[in-house]
Amino acid sequence: MKKLVIAFLGIFLLLNVACSRDDNDTVSIVGTWNVSSVKMKGTLSYNGQSAAINEEAPADACSQKSSMVFNADGTGSVTSFANNNGTCEQLLSENFTYKFDGNSKVLTITQAGTTESVTLSFSGSNKFSYGETLNNVNFGDYYPQYDGFYYTGTISTVFVKK
């Protein structure tokens, strides 16, 4: 009888762990997500001089206003803010459509006729990050005070669910 109880408990624990693992593999993107931090790994150049960068920094209060909203119907919006010489300015506000595969964590966004897919990396159900590779991008195009600073490398952005 004791062996039967131990076998039953073993099977129960095995099934319970297997079900828990499956539940954690699928995540939902629906909701409002705000920028939490940014990690840069690459090279920053200015006036012919270059420096290697490998840093992660929390987003400042202005950048934390930047958000991505994913509605259950496959529509969404992105709003971006940046600190420009002490003034928090909205850089963009645009709508998009999206598809998200909760198993593979692939997010596909269509915006203004352009479609792009990225794989998100989740940390629990309330935090995700994704990275993109940039090649010789002038930061001055986004932040006027950094005109002439060029970046080549990866930028990973971390979002937290509001």
Side-chain angles (χ1 to χ4, degrees):
M1 180 73 165
K2 190 175 183 180
K3 288 182 183 180
L4 184 61
V5 170
I6 292 173
F8 176 73
L9 283 174
I11 292 170
F12 175 76
L13 288 173
L14 179 64
L15 290 174
N16 201 18
V17 169
C19 290
S20 296
R21 194 175 315 132
D22 289 345
D23 292 343
N24 290 335
D25 285 347
T26 302
V27 293
S28 173
I29 194 81
V30 174
T32 300
W33 300 79
N34 292 87
V35 172
S36 173
S37 64
V38 176
K39 181 176 184 176
M40 297 174 66
K41 186 174 183 177
T43 304
L44 186 63
S45 302
Y46 182 75
N47 280 344
Q49 296 185 349
S50 298
I53 293 183
N54 186 7
E55 299 206 13
E56 183 169 1
D60 63 19
C62 179
S63 296
Q64 288 179 13
K65 291 181 179 182
S66 300
S67 66
M68 294 184 81
V69 177
F70 297 95
N71 301 311
D73 66 358
T75 63
S77 62
V78 60
T79 306
S80 178
F81 291 87
N83 189 335
N84 183 11
N85 292 322
T87 302
C88 186
E89 295 181 357
Q90 183 174 328
L91 298 178
L92 69 95
S93 180
E94 297 180 4
N95 296 319
F96 58 81
T97 59
Y98 77 93
K99 291 182 182 177
F100 180 68
D101 183 327
N103 291 316
S104 67
K105 320 287 189 293
V106 172
L107 172 65
T108 302
I109 291 180
T110 302
Q111 184 177 21
T114 302
T115 301
E116 183 178 349
S117 294
V118 294
T119 301
L120 305 181
S121 177
F122 280 82
S123 181
S125 62
N126 66 343
K127 183 188 274 188
F128 75 81
S129 64
Y130 76 93
E132 58 186 306
T133 301
L134 303 176
N135 188 19
N136 208 31
V137 172
N138 181 2
F139 276 170
D141 292 345
Y142 306 96
Y143 308 100
Q145 71 268 30
Y146 296 117
D147 191 35
F149 285 85
Y150 291 87
Y151 181 74
T152 298
T154 58
I155 293 184
S156 297
T157 307
V158 177
F159 288 84
V160 292
K161 197 168 196 176
K162 187 174 178 182

